[in-house]
Amino acid sequence: MSNLAPSPLVIQLFGELLLLDQFLRNRIAKALPEEVELSQFLVLLHLATSGEELGPARLATSFNVTRGAMSNTLGRLERAGQITMRGDTVDARRKFVSISEAGQRTLDEVVGAINPRLRETLSRHPRTEIGQCLTLLSELRDSLETSRLSPL
């Protein structure tokens, strides 16, 4: 076996993350209102967790999609009343996107629908342990994002 081969622990971690992703996506998709798709929900979630207005280009980069694809997603969300887009007062070519009250309600309803099971599991662990897990997951995401942005 090569020294470059991932350890069984790393393989198990990747497996758990991918299965968790699949389960969450399925649960979220079932709880979404008819007019909101999973990709749109993920944008709402990103806007809500960022706590700030974001530009379409920055969102496209965050989701690793083209600006055109993000513009399409944002247009649908805006028509559904889930987000608010406003022009930049300094540079009229730029726009800023934020989650609307309706978008926050959608987010709250969907998260509320899947929260009872998550809350039950999370309640068995101390907050410090959950915080450590979040730190590790954030570091993994940052590492993958950094490697995505730099050539191999």
Side-chain angles (χ1 to χ4, degrees):
M1 192 156 133
S2 165
N3 285 340
L4 298 176
S7 72
L9 186 62
V10 171
I11 292 171
Q12 184 178 0
L13 175 64
F14 272 58
E16 289 296 329
L17 290 172
L18 291 169
L19 286 172
L20 182 60
D21 175 67
Q22 186 64 38
F23 284 129
L24 278 172
R25 286 175 182 270
N26 285 337
R27 289 267 183 214
I28 290 167
K30 289 178 183 176
L32 285 173
E34 219 171 276
E35 71 276 4
V36 179
E37 297 175 10
L38 181 60
S39 60
Q40 297 166 349
F41 175 81
L42 294 174
V43 171
L44 293 177
L45 185 62
H46 188 72
L47 289 169
T49 57
S50 77
E52 60 182 336
E53 293 180 305
L54 300 173
R58 185 166 166 197
L59 285 166
T61 300
S62 294
F63 283 92
N64 199 25
V65 298
T66 65
R67 289 181 183 195
M70 184 54 65
S71 291
N72 183 36
T73 298
L74 294 175
R76 290 172 186 239
L77 283 169
E78 186 177 36
R79 285 189 294 280
Q82 302 290 312
I83 62 166
T84 303
M85 281 204 280
R86 69 169 184 84
D88 186 347
T89 54
V90 176
D91 183 350
R93 297 171 294 177
R94 293 182 44 173
K95 292 186 179 187
F96 289 103
V97 182
S98 60
I99 190 167
S100 68
E101 287 183 27
Q104 188 62 54
R105 278 193 304 276
T106 296
L107 194 61
D108 293 344
E109 288 170 11
V110 172
V111 171
I114 61 172
N115 193 32
R117 287 196 173 164
L118 292 177
R119 187 180 312 159
E120 177 185 324
T121 301
L122 292 173
S123 69
R124 294 192 295 260
H125 299 275
R127 292 182 78 78
T128 55
E129 197 175 290
I130 295 168
Q132 290 171 340
C133 182
L134 283 172
T135 299
L136 174 61
L137 291 173
S138 291
E139 288 176 15
L140 287 171
R141 181 185 43 76
D142 287 344
S143 174
L144 290 172
E145 188 169 9
T146 300
S147 67
R148 173 179 62 98
L149 297 174
S150 63
L152 293 175

